[in-house]
Amino acid sequence: MCPGLWDSRVEAAMNKSRVETFSDGVFAIAITLLVLTIAQPIDYRDLAHQLVESWPSLAAYVVSFLVIGIMWVNHHAIFSHLREIDRGFFYWNLLLLMTIVFIPYPTEVFGEALRRGEGAETAAIFYSVTMTVNALTWSGLWLYASLNRRLLVPEFPEEQRTTSTLLFISGTAVYTVSIAIAFVSPYACLVFQGGLALYYAFDPISRRAERARRE
Amino acid sequence: MCPGLWDSRVEAAMNKSRVETFSDGVFAIAITLLVLTIAQPIDYRDLAHQLVESWPSLAAYVVSFLVIGIMWVNHHAIFSHLREIDRGFFYWNLLLLMTIVFIPYPTEVFGEALRRGEGAETAAIFYSVTMTVNALTWSGLWLYASLNRRLLVPEFPEEQRTTSTLLFISGTAVYTVSIAIAFVSPYACLVFQGGLALYYAFDPISRRAERARRE
Amino acid sequence: MCPGLWDSRVEAAMNKSRVETFSDGVFAIAITLLVLTIAQPIDYRDLAHQLVESWPSLAAYVVSFLVIGIMWVNHHAIFSHLREIDRGFFYWNLLLLMTIVFIPYPTEVFGEALRRGEGAETAAIFYSVTMTVNALTWSGLWLYASLNRRLLVPEFPEEQRTTSTLLFISGTAVYTVSIAIAFVSPYACLVFQGGLALYYAFDPISRRAERARRE
Amino acid sequence: MCPGLWDSRVEAAMNKSRVETFSDGVFAIAITLLVLTIAQPIDYRDLAHQLVESWPSLAAYVVSFLVIGIMWVNHHAIFSHLREIDRGFFYWNLLLLMTIVFIPYPTEVFGEALRRGEGAETAAIFYSVTMTVNALTWSGLWLYASLNRRLLVPEFPEEQRTTSTLLFISGTAVYTVSIAIAFVSPYACLVFQGGLALYYAFDPISRRAERARRE
């Protein structure tokens, strides 16, 4: 690698748009690799039965696909409020991508465990822990960028900053709750995860805030 | 994820070109992952025989490659007629990508079933159902964008809108027919799917319409 | 998919740069997927031995990596001489990408056959046939674009057009020879393929032509 | 492929930004494929135990993810100091990408060997040799670009050039040391590799140099 080469010229080259494009690529690949997590049938003599039985793999695929797709939108939401990025932000973003790229792994384990009817509780916990760690890195990224308005654009409203910080922290709390749900029922946990994704997709809080600001 | 951050600034950042680039990436990855669906030989002592026998895997690869490649063109066709996109369109597009990313899975199952000579009918039905669901999401995307000309550019001709809507709906119907064909013969179904891809590639209706408009 | 939507507006949107970006993505993914073709060790007790024995997998990886990387350069070489692209060119390009995306498959088979010492001749033939088909689609793409100067920029010299066409056709012939070599020795075939890649990398003919033109 | 087509027009088309975008794509895919290296559980009845036991796979994933992510930054660092690129640089870059795309393979072997407790020493050596070869290609790329200031921008300070060359060479030496550590303990080797990645992430030498230059 190349120590001694990083200076202000490099800093300029590592600008927001380049990091965003790289992250977009990682999102696009991670979301597409999800298809490899769906269990292949083994016995083709009773294929119909095998395909029907692999519905949990498919359900896990759908949930994780929505999750990563919505995260992609939200990644842009954060970037669009930033004035610039720095090295610290770059590494927080790398950590975040690391947890997102990881998602296909617990997705496969979760789907397979539900399909086999073995270890489903453990798999649901594993999936929920992954999502909680992911939520933590989102919060870290946000706090790094927004504390003392380090990287925020000047026009970003101060009260929205407070609201968003609170919502990030509560989001992490909600994902922690999903771990508890996994202990109760793996299926309930999958539904809960899907519901959370949809909640973030419709994002009623942003909508209300936007409406309030307009009035 | 990041509730409370979505506002008009984000809306602007999530513009057409960014969503198109992201979708392009997903198309490029999905089309390339298809190579992983071709059955690897197991017994290398009789390799020639094994390679010849895996021709259905190869045929399924070719058909799905054409299908995704042509869908990529058509994705641009839709985008080039849009003035802007909104959140609802974004989620329709995400749904559409979900069905496209899924294609390698039924492709692998279809090729493998034909190769083994087991479950071929079921696999053909599964492949055709996937394509029908995909056709439905295409229609949904189009209807969302074109109803009341929600997102269409002003210069898009009104009568072309009606024609396209009719053609999208008939397209879905034709894919439903492919399910029926799968019941009759899996091989006929594969040929039919390949033929449909070629039909869309040459797209005689658009050509005729274009010619009519020019005159 | 979306019949009835293709018109001059779409034609404009499907411009050279977009198709080039999409192709770049496919090249980047195909070249990276090659790593999945290297045989994983099975027995870890004698790992050193297993890793050493999988050198043919590694050699096939290196050759195919060079091949795809150099093809990427050459893809740009063609595009940089084009004024515009049309639908026919788009489909030729899609065919070409289909043969490039396919490369990891014969690469894996070739490496594995050499490693096992079984079916190596068949695998070498299979690899060489793939490369020959690939050379044919390169020639097809070039002929489509250059016949009657259909898509060429005006400043592309006429005598260079003739030379290039001849060279494309001889290139295909040389790849056909590699099939014959595969019958003699799979190892010689691998070396020959690597040598051809290096030959194209250094590309003495273009250099001489460039020098001649400068004088 | 296409001999006889490479001329100054092509040279211009193969500019820095295109090669950088292609390389970015390869980095993004290689970093995402790492998730496929994490060992899938086999026995789901004792899933919790199996997941805990696969921590070395996960640790190897984390280390390699950081390594590739930081290399991505450093790739930009080099490019941002270049005036232009030429064909020789392009092939050095291709060689570099070949060693980066390869990283998931030794990562999987390393993680798996640690998990099984078999062949761990060999796997650690293999991983370290890969990283050393990678460091060598980084040095080669840098020397090619910087010797006689072949491709450097004029404003790149001469003394920084000397420092960087020294640091590249010492970097390669440090990676060679990691091979020796692998002989002592595979775990120490993994920690050492992770530490090196962090060292390059914080890059104290560049920071000090930057500070010195500012004063």
Side-chain angles (χ1 to χ4, degrees):
Chain A
M1 287 187 270
C2 44
L5 283 178
W6 187 294
D7 59 17
S8 46
R9 169 183 283 268
V10 175
E11 204 87 57
M14 278 293 304
N15 53 19
K16 252 181 68 174
S17 102
R18 172 140 286 161
V19 174
E20 220 172 347
T21 308
F22 181 74
S23 309
D24 277 13
V26 171
F27 274 101
I29 304 155
I31 213 172
T32 313
L33 285 187
L34 282 173
V35 70
L36 303 181
T37 68
I38 311 176
Q40 284 291 329
I42 296 159
D43 180 5
Y44 273 72
R45 271 166 305 178
D46 195 10
L47 184 59
H49 188 66
Q50 290 233 334
L51 289 175
V52 169
E53 280 211 320
S54 63
W55 74 263
S57 273
L58 191 59
Y61 162 78
V62 169
V63 169
S64 291
F65 196 98
L66 289 178
V67 164
I68 297 182
I70 291 154
M71 279 182 187
W72 177 68
V73 185
N74 288 332
H75 195 258
H76 283 299
I78 291 189
F79 270 72
S80 62
H81 294 302
L82 302 184
R83 198 177 62 240
E84 51 171 17
I85 66 164
D86 61 11
R87 211 193 254 230
F89 185 84
F90 175 79
Y91 291 122
W92 270 108
N93 189 54
L94 197 62
L95 262 184
L96 176 66
L97 292 180
M98 197 197 284
T99 65
I100 290 168
V101 165
F102 186 65
I103 290 175
Y105 182 72
T107 303
E108 183 158 3
V109 171
F110 197 2
E112 183 66 10
L114 286 176
R115 196 178 68 84
R116 297 197 188 185
E118 284 174 353
E121 196 186 291
T122 307
I125 295 167
F126 182 46
Y127 190 89
S128 300
V129 167
T130 302
M131 298 310 292
T132 309
V133 171
N134 173 268
L136 278 170
T137 56
W138 277 107
S139 301
L141 186 81
W142 171 250
L143 286 173
Y144 181 85
S146 68
L147 270 184
N148 304 318
R149 312 185 59 89
R150 189 191 273 120
L151 306 170
L152 290 180
V153 288
E155 59 271 34
F156 190 79
E158 188 60 21
E159 91 271 8
Q160 197 182 341
R161 184 169 78 89
T162 324
T163 321
S164 293
T165 305
L166 279 172
L167 288 169
F168 268 113
I169 293 167
S170 359
T172 311
V174 172
Y175 274 107
T176 316
V177 168
S178 77
I179 304 178
I181 297 176
F183 276 101
V184 181
S185 154
Y187 289 102
C189 178
L190 187 60
V191 171
F192 187 72
Q193 297 286 354
L196 268 178
L198 290 180
Y199 173 81
Y200 281 117
F202 290 105
D203 190 6
I205 293 170
S206 292
R207 295 197 167 186
R208 205 178 324 132
E210 179 81 0
R211 235 177 297 128
R213 239 168 295 138
R214 278 201 198 131
E215 283 155 17
Chain B
M1 287 186 270
C2 44
L5 283 179
W6 187 294
D7 59 19
S8 46
R9 168 183 285 268
V10 175
E11 204 87 54
M14 279 291 305
N15 53 18
K16 253 181 68 177
S17 102
R18 171 141 287 160
V19 173
E20 221 172 345
T21 308
F22 180 74
S23 309
D24 276 13
V26 170
F27 274 100
I29 304 155
I31 213 173
T32 313
L33 285 187
L34 283 174
V35 70
L36 303 181
T37 68
I38 310 175
Q40 284 292 328
I42 296 159
D43 180 4
Y44 273 72
R45 271 166 305 176
D46 195 10
L47 184 59
H49 188 65
Q50 289 233 335
L51 289 174
V52 170
E53 280 211 321
S54 62
W55 74 264
S57 272
L58 192 58
Y61 163 77
V62 169
V63 169
S64 291
F65 195 98
L66 289 178
V67 164
I68 297 181
I70 291 154
M71 279 182 186
W72 177 68
V73 186
N74 288 331
H75 195 258
H76 283 299
I78 292 189
F79 270 72
S80 62
H81 294 302
L82 302 184
R83 200 177 61 240
E84 52 171 16
I85 66 164
D86 61 11
R87 210 193 255 229
F89 185 83
F90 175 78
Y91 291 122
W92 269 108
N93 189 55
L94 196 62
L95 263 183
L96 175 68
L97 292 180
M98 197 198 283
T99 65
I100 290 167
V101 164
F102 186 65
I103 290 175
Y105 182 72
T107 302
E108 182 159 4
V109 170
F110 197 3
E112 182 67 10
L114 287 176
R115 197 178 67 85
R116 297 197 188 185
E118 284 173 351
E121 195 187 292
T122 307
I125 296 167
F126 182 45
Y127 189 90
S128 301
V129 168
T130 303
M131 299 310 291
T132 309
V133 171
N134 174 267
L136 278 170
T137 57
W138 277 109
S139 300
L141 186 81
W142 171 250
L143 286 173
Y144 181 87
S146 67
L147 268 184
N148 303 317
R149 313 185 57 91
R150 189 192 270 119
L151 306 169
L152 290 180
V153 288
E155 59 272 35
F156 190 79
E158 187 60 19
E159 91 271 8
Q160 198 181 341
R161 184 168 80 87
T162 324
T163 321
S164 293
T165 305
L166 279 173
L167 288 169
F168 268 115
I169 292 168
S170 357
T172 311
V174 173
Y175 274 107
T176 316
V177 168
S178 76
I179 304 178
I181 296 176
F183 276 100
V184 181
S185 153
Y187 289 103
C189 178
L190 187 60
V191 171
F192 187 73
Q193 297 286 355
L196 269 177
L198 290 180
Y199 173 81
Y200 281 116
F202 290 105
D203 190 6
I205 294 170
S206 292
R207 295 197 168 187
R208 205 179 323 134
E210 179 82 359
R211 235 175 298 128
R213 239 168 296 136
R214 275 198 200 134
E215 283 157 18
Chain C
M1 287 185 270
C2 44
L5 283 178
W6 187 296
D7 59 17
S8 46
R9 168 182 284 268
V10 175
E11 205 86 59
M14 278 292 305
N15 53 17
K16 253 182 68 177
S17 103
R18 171 141 287 160
V19 173
E20 221 172 345
T21 308
F22 181 73
S23 309
D24 276 12
V26 171
F27 274 100
I29 303 156
I31 212 173
T32 314
L33 285 186
L34 282 173
V35 69
L36 303 180
T37 68
I38 310 173
Q40 284 291 328
I42 295 159
D43 180 4
Y44 273 73
R45 269 165 307 177
D46 195 9
L47 184 59
H49 187 65
Q50 290 234 334
L51 289 174
V52 169
E53 280 212 320
S54 61
W55 74 264
S57 273
L58 192 58
Y61 162 79
V62 169
V63 169
S64 291
F65 196 98
L66 289 178
V67 164
I68 297 182
I70 291 153
M71 280 181 185
W72 178 69
V73 186
N74 289 332
H75 195 258
H76 283 299
I78 292 189
F79 270 72
S80 61
H81 294 303
L82 302 184
R83 201 177 60 240
E84 52 172 15
I85 65 165
D86 61 11
R87 212 193 254 228
F89 185 83
F90 175 79
Y91 292 121
W92 269 109
N93 189 56
L94 197 62
L95 263 184
L96 175 67
L97 292 181
M98 199 198 281
T99 65
I100 291 168
V101 164
F102 186 66
I103 289 175
Y105 182 72
T107 303
E108 182 159 3
V109 170
F110 197 2
E112 183 67 8
L114 286 176
R115 196 178 68 83
R116 297 195 188 186
E118 284 174 351
E121 195 187 291
T122 308
I125 296 167
F126 182 45
Y127 190 89
S128 301
V129 168
T130 303
M131 298 310 291
T132 309
V133 171
N134 174 268
L136 278 170
T137 56
W138 277 108
S139 301
L141 186 82
W142 171 250
L143 287 173
Y144 181 86
S146 67
L147 270 184
N148 302 319
R149 312 185 58 91
R150 190 191 271 118
L151 306 169
L152 290 180
V153 288
E155 59 271 36
F156 190 79
E158 188 60 20
E159 91 270 9
Q160 198 182 340
R161 184 168 79 88
T162 325
T163 321
S164 292
T165 304
L166 279 172
L167 289 169
F168 267 113
I169 292 167
S170 359
T172 310
V174 174
Y175 275 107
T176 317
V177 169
S178 76
I179 304 178
I181 297 176
F183 276 99
V184 182
S185 153
Y187 289 103
C189 178
L190 187 60
V191 170
F192 187 72
Q193 297 285 355
L196 268 178
L198 290 180
Y199 173 81
Y200 281 117
F202 289 106
D203 190 5
I205 294 170
S206 293
R207 295 197 168 188
R208 204 177 326 132
E210 178 83 359
R211 234 176 297 127
R213 239 168 295 135
R214 277 201 198 128
E215 280 156 19
Chain D
M1 286 187 271
C2 45
L5 283 178
W6 186 295
D7 59 17
S8 47
R9 169 182 283 267
V10 175
E11 203 86 55
M14 278 292 306
N15 53 18
K16 251 183 69 177
S17 102
R18 171 140 288 160
V19 174
E20 220 172 347
T21 309
F22 181 74
S23 309
D24 277 12
V26 171
F27 275 100
I29 304 155
I31 213 173
T32 314
L33 285 186
L34 283 173
V35 69
L36 303 180
T37 68
I38 310 175
Q40 283 291 328
I42 296 160
D43 179 4
Y44 274 72
R45 270 166 307 179
D46 196 10
L47 184 59
H49 187 67
Q50 290 233 335
L51 289 175
V52 169
E53 281 211 321
S54 62
W55 73 264
S57 273
L58 191 60
Y61 163 78
V62 169
V63 169
S64 291
F65 196 98
L66 289 178
V67 164
I68 297 182
I70 291 154
M71 279 182 185
W72 178 67
V73 185
N74 289 331
H75 195 257
H76 282 300
I78 291 189
F79 269 71
S80 61
H81 294 301
L82 302 183
R83 200 177 61 242
E84 52 172 15
I85 66 166
D86 61 11
R87 212 192 253 229
F89 185 83
F90 175 78
Y91 292 122
W92 269 109
N93 189 55
L94 198 62
L95 263 184
L96 176 66
L97 292 181
M98 198 197 283
T99 65
I100 290 168
V101 164
F102 186 65
I103 290 176
Y105 183 73
T107 303
E108 182 159 3
V109 170
F110 198 2
E112 183 67 10
L114 287 176
R115 197 178 67 84
R116 297 197 188 185
E118 284 174 352
E121 196 187 291
T122 308
I125 295 166
F126 182 45
Y127 190 90
S128 301
V129 168
T130 303
M131 299 309 292
T132 309
V133 171
N134 174 267
L136 278 171
T137 56
W138 277 107
S139 301
L141 186 81
W142 171 250
L143 286 173
Y144 181 86
S146 67
L147 269 184
N148 303 319
R149 311 186 58 89
R150 189 191 272 120
L151 305 169
L152 290 180
V153 288
E155 59 271 35
F156 190 79
E158 188 59 21
E159 92 269 8
Q160 197 181 341
R161 184 169 79 89
T162 325
T163 321
S164 293
T165 305
L166 280 174
L167 288 169
F168 268 113
I169 293 167
S170 0
T172 310
V174 173
Y175 275 107
T176 317
V177 169
S178 76
I179 304 178
I181 296 177
F183 276 100
V184 182
S185 153
Y187 289 102
C189 179
L190 187 59
V191 171
F192 187 73
Q193 297 286 354
L196 268 178
L198 289 180
Y199 173 80
Y200 280 117
F202 290 105
D203 189 6
I205 294 170
S206 292
R207 296 196 167 188
R208 204 177 324 131
E210 177 82 359
R211 235 175 297 127
R213 237 167 298 135
R214 279 201 198 131
E215 282 155 17

